């Protein structure tokens, strides 16, 4: 390989690809060829660099210049000015009100981050085994296989304090120990890459951005527990992750890092990729095992746990992608180093996926115990569009919503649980003051109703009942007592369901009732949605003082319920309005407003109807 | 044809999910027909009702014909917060279909799906195997037009 003058790292993680990164890459090849300098520049496709919302992003070495939101039209300018004349393009750099951040390391987004699981993600070419090895890859596996017994390897993990990153936070060494101790002719190791939580994409990013790391972590685990075969279970929605892992397996095999007697030790190992077909519940470990076996992915009661009777009835360890991603570093840098980060009970770092109304949506890795405020405002850059922070949903459908008063809570397993949220897999959904919490709770409930496998009735029926109540409330048919009914049902479903889906599905509803009860009450009692999200509980109104009588709204109204004239101005006949919002969209002077609360006329009409048909609701 | 696809996999029950994926992907109308189920049942030596049990469990499989391109728009909360509802409304008008429907020209089926894991670029949709992020009403129009012209 000849030495090149410039390394151009283009993020080709799924986020940037969805924003057009591949087109940019093609364009670079074209322009460099045209200029005849393609032999001077190394183009490297990397995994996710983190700030996905700014995609497509790229970093150019030796200086480490960071460019964001690059378009194919920008490519010639970058080549001409930066690569040929040595003048980086200011326009494409990240800046805030005062400063321009030329180098990636100076970008505020990266300041509080500590990268362990993401160490290589966005820095190396995920399809190159050489690059992985150049960063110290497979060193840990070599050390473990040649200098440690399986028990010693487990002890190192124990000392590090590593806990499962898939949601529950179960101590990793304890799980390994159980399978290590189990007597069986065959044992299995499974990597859980199902990642169905809405708002979560850390596992996808690591699988895509640093596949060898996961493979290495898995092999160390396999050695520790005595498994000779492993399975990657990756959801079919992640075709690139599947491709990258398959590729990594082939490379490792060709290199002799996998297969018979790895590193000349007695350890032999083989791995396969299995895919899902669109079922959230398959992330639950017993369901996942059934799915690998080619069946419906229904969870089964525990015990027996997979550690005693897992895949094809054999002792099995199921670990999350990020859990494995931490393992190699622990062996290279030491258990003490790992344990020095984080809090008393939650060691190390955690990868979070920031989404929603936050400025820097994307992938971040921070030490455990960091406060929500630091995570959302320092790393995440705060709320986008000058709005106010309202709530944050942590842990996907099994988690809960926290609010302003929790901003100083440290993010670790126990602190979050104590407040009705959960670490979960690390999805952080940030919401501004324009979000209606009742409606958001309904959305999570909808997700869980869709994804319930239907095996047990509390989950199948109870969640649907909760959904129906929420649906009634947002449509203005809430009844006094609904809140208590939601709480009663939620507690019953949590207590009686078989698997974690049903046990945790009521959390978003229960936590929003806990912290935003007034919003539920306003919906039910006053028929009002203060955020004006729930269409039934708001109405459109034309402000006569602002209206210039242009008639645009009347012409755009699909049901012709706006009348008036230039002199009289325009009025909405509320009873016919279907709340399509067209009038508001077209009004040139913004005279059409959304007003919280059901219009009095509509309320009267409803009450009359109710009196006539008292049994219908 | 179904037989040949089956033969790419060893006749083990745990290959069922891959065979189903393969059959559905190869069919121009992206579905699994009754005939296909019979062929698989014979090949794997499992009863057809087991296969239907699996098909109905996983949301990606369909037993009725669909369009040449499958649009799967994410309806999970992060995408919803970023305005997926408007995208859905726009799509329905543009394609002249309801959710789950196939456009008259047979080119598109519009489906909703759960999080695609690209939420950093919400709202997001997947057309066949390609992911499109940061959707706006104009952008979806452009994407659909482009696929239309390509066909
Ligand atoms: C409904 C449900 C969905 C789950 N989805 C996932 C998932 O997508 N990825 C994951 O790693 N764990 C998921 N889990 C947790 C797994 O069952 C299991 O605890 C985890 O994979 C163990 O790995 P860890 O110890 O490394 O965290 C899910 C659990 C439930 C109940
Ligand atoms: S709790 Fe829900 S998802 Fe879990 S087994 Fe029961 S029905 Fe299925
Ligand atoms: S919201 Fe729609 S239906 Fe109602 S007045 Fe405006 S344009 Fe007419
Ligand atoms: S995918 Fe490029 S920054 Fe995340
Ligand atoms: S929520 Fe839509 S892609 Fe994740």
């Amino acid at each position: 390989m000849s030495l090149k003058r410039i390394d151009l790292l283009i993020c080709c993680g799924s986020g940037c690809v969805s924003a057009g990164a591949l087109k940019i890459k093609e364009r670079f090849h074209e322009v460099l060829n045209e200029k005849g300098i393609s032999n001077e520049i190394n183009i490297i496709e990397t995994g996710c660099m983190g700030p996905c919302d700014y995609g497509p992003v790229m970093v150019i070495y030796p200086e480490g210049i960071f460019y964001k939101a690059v378009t194919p039209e920008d490519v010639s300018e970058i080549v001409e000015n930066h690569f040929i004349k040595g003048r980086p393009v200011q326009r494409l750099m990240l800046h805030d009100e005062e400063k321009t951040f030329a180098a990636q390391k100076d970008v505020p987004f990266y300041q509080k981050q500590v990268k362990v699981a993401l160490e290589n993600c966005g820095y190396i070419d995920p399809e190159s085994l050489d690059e992985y090895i150049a960063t110290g890859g497979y060193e840990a596996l070599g050390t473990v296989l040649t200098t440690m017994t399986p028990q010693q390897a487990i002890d190192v993990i124990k000392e590090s304090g590593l806990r499962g990153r898939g949601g529950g936070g179960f101590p990793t060494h304890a799980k390994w120990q159980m399978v290590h101790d189990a007597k069986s002719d065959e044992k299995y190791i499974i990597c859980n890459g199902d990642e169905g939580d809405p708002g979560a994409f850390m596992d996808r990013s690591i699988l895509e951005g640093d596949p060898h790391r996961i493979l290495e972590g898995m092999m160390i685990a396999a050695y520790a527990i005595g498994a000779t075969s492993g399975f990657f279970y990756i959801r079919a929605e992640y075709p690139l992750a599947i491709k990258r892992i398959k590729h990594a397996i082939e490379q490792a095999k060709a290199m002799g890092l996998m297969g018979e007697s790895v590193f000349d030790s007695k350890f032999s190992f083989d791995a396969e990729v299995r895919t899902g077909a669109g079922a959230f519940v398959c992330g639950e470990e017993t369901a996942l095992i059934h799915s690998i076996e080619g069946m419906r992915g229904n969870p089964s009661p525990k015990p027996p746990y997979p550690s005693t009777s897992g895949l094809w009835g054999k002792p099995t360890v199921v670990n999350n992608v990020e859990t494995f991603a931490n393992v190699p570093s622990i062996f290279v840098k030491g258990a003490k180093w790992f344990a020095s980060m984080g809090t008393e009970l939650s060691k190390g770092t955690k990868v979070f996926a920031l989404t929603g109304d936050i400025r820097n949506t994307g992938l971040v890795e921070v030490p455990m115990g960091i406060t929500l405020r630091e995570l959302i405002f320092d790393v995440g850059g705060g709320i986008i569009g000058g709005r106010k922070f309202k709530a944050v949903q942590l842990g996907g459908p099994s988690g809960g919503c926290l609010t302003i008063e929790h901003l100083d809570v440290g993010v670790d397993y126990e602190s979050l649980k104590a407040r009705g949220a959960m670490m979960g897999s690390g999805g952080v959904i940030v919401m501004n003051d324009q979000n209606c919490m009742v409606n958001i709770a309904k959305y999570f409930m909808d997700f869980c109703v869709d994804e319930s496998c239907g095996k047990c009735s509390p989950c199948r029926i109870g969640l649907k009942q909760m959904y129906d109540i929420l649906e009634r409330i947002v449509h203005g048919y809430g009844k006094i007592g609904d809140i208590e009914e939601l709480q009663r049902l939620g507690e019953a479903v949590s207590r009686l369901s078989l698997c974690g889906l049903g046990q945790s599905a009521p959390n978003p509803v229960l936590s929003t009732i806990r912290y935003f009860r007034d919003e539920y009450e306003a919906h039910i009692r006053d028929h009002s949605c203060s955020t004006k999200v729930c269409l039934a509980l708001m109405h459109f109104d034309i402000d006569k003082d602002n209206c210039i009588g242009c008639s645009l709204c009347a012409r755009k109204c699909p049901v012709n319920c706006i009348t008036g004239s230039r002199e009289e101005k325009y009025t909405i006949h509320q009873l016919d309005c279907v709340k399509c919002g067209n009038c508001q969209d077209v009004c040139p002077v913004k005279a059409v407003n959304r007003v919280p609360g059901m219009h009095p006329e509509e309320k009267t009409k409803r009450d009359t109807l109710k009196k006539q048909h008292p049994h219908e609701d | 044809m179904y037989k040949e696809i089956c033969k790419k996999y060893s006749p083990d029950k745990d290959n069922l999910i891959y065979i189903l994926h393969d059959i559905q992907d190869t069919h121009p109308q992206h579905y699994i027909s009754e005939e296909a189920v019979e062929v698989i049942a014979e090949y794997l030596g499992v009863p057809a009702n087991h296969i239907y049990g699996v098909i109905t469990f996983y949301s990606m499989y369909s037993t009725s014909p669909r369009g040449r391109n499958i649009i799967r728009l994410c309806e999970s909360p992060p995408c919803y917060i970023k305005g997926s509802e408007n995208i859905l409304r726009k799509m329905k008008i543009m394609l002249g279909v309801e959710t789950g429907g196939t456009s008259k020209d047979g080119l598109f089926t519009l489906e909703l799906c759960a999080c695609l894991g690209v939420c950093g670029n919400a709202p997001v949709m997947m057309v066949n195997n390609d992911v499109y992020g940061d959707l706006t009403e104009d952008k979806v129009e452009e994407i659909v037009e482009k696929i239309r012209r390509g066909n």
Side-chain angles (χ1 to χ4, degrees), chain A residues 14-174:
Chain A
S14 284
C16 285
V17 167
S18 79
L22 296 178
K23 271 193 232 123
I24 312 283
K25 194 192 67 177
E26 289 313 310
R27 188 74 194 125
F28 265 109
H29 281 295
E30 277 169 30
V31 177
L32 291 176
N33 279 333
E34 276 165 28
K35 302 273 177 196
I37 53 167
S38 49
N39 58 333
E40 293 173 34
I41 320 269
N42 218 356
I43 299 187
I44 301 158
E45 272 183 53
T46 74
C48 178
M49 294 182 173
C52 311
D53 196 34
Y54 291 125
V57 297
M58 59 186 59
V59 179
I60 299 161
Y61 286 97
E63 302 93 338
I65 304 272
F66 178 81
Y67 288 148
K68 67 167 174 60
V70 179
T71 65
E73 289 74 47
D74 299 327
V75 171
S76 303
E77 190 179 342
I78 296 176
V79 172
E80 186 68 36
N81 285 333
H82 187 158
F83 296 176
I84 297 178
K85 297 187 184 143
R87 273 186 241 131
V89 186
Q90 297 273 341
R91 183 172 66 76
L92 298 170
M93 292 173 184
L94 191 76
H95 30 237
D96 62 13
E97 289 77 28
E98 296 137 32
K99 266 178 80 179
T100 299
F101 306 96
Q104 185 187 27
K105 64 176 175 31
D106 298 329
V107 172
F109 173 75
Y110 292 102
Q111 297 306 312
K112 290 204 168 169
Q113 295 197 49
V114 177
K115 303 221 175 185
V116 178
L118 296 181
E119 193 182 8
N120 295 331
C121 198
Y123 296 99
I124 65 168
D125 174 358
E127 300 203 350
S128 160
L129 174 56
D130 290 339
E131 288 202 16
Y132 181 65
I133 292 177
T135 63
Y138 289 109
E139 188 186 324
L141 180 67
T143 313
V144 173
L145 293 186
T146 54
T147 67
M148 288 184 192
T149 64
Q151 185 59 52
Q152 282 169 333
I154 295 175
D155 292 341
V156 171
I157 294 298
K158 184 174 182 183
E159 198 192 339
S160 75
L162 177 66
R163 294 169 67 176
R165 301 296 196 241
F170 192 76
T172 303
H173 75 89

Side-chain angles (χ1 to χ4, degrees), chain A residues 15 18 52-53 198-201 204 235-238 274-279 281-282 291-298 355-357 361 429 431 435 439 443-444 447 450 453 533, chain B residues 13-18 21 50 52-54 56-61 72 75-78 80-82 85 89 114-121 126 129 131-134 139 146:
Chain A
S18 79
C52 311
D53 196 34
F201 48 91
R204 144 183 240 151
R235 60 199 299 233
E237 288 90 337
Y238 287 2
R274 300 291 174 119
T275 62
V281 76
C282 285
S291 182
I292 294 185
E293 292 168 348
M295 299 194 286
R296 292 170 69 101
N298 282 322
T355 63
D357 300 318
T361 62
I429 308 172
M431 287 170 264
N435 287 283
N439 195 44
Y443 254 76
F444 275 102
F447 178 89
D450 275 353
C453 81
V533 168
Chain B
K13 202 171 94 182
D14 47 298
N15 282 329
L16 175 57
I17 286 168
Y18 311 98
H21 268 309
H50 170 82
Y52 278 115
V54 170
T56 50
F57 182 82
Y58 296 98
S59 70
M60 280 179 148
Y61 299 133
R72 302 171 73 227
E75 61 164 342
S76 288
Y80 167 74
I81 289 173
K82 286 287 186 78
E85 255 189 336
R89 183 158 38 101
C115 177
L116 293 164
V118 199
C119 344
N121 299 72
M126 211 165 169
N129 261 345
V131 179
Y132 298 89
D134 304 310
K139 209 161 156 186
K146 204 167 150 211

Side-chain angles (χ1 to χ4, degrees), chain A residues 484-497:
Chain A
E484 291 69 24
E485 180 68 4
L486 281 172
Q487 286 174 317
R488 195 186 61 77
L489 279 167
E491 271 145 33
V493 174
S494 297
R495 201 159 28 87
L496 301 172
S497 292

Side-chain angles (χ1 to χ4, degrees), chain A residues 540 553 556-559 561-562 572 577-583:
Chain A
F540 288 91
C553 58
K556 278 284 174 186
C557 176
V559 290
C561 72
I562 307 183
I572 297 176
C577 170
V578 294
K579 301 187 181 175
C580 67
N582 284 358
C583 49

Side-chain angles (χ1 to χ4, degrees), chain A residues 281 298-299 451-457 459-460 497-503:
Chain A
V281 76
N298 282 322
E451 298 297 339
S452 164
C453 81
K455 186 171 168 178
C456 49
S457 40
C459 174
R460 188 182 65 239
S497 292
L498 175 65
C499 88
L501 191 151
Q503 286 160 8

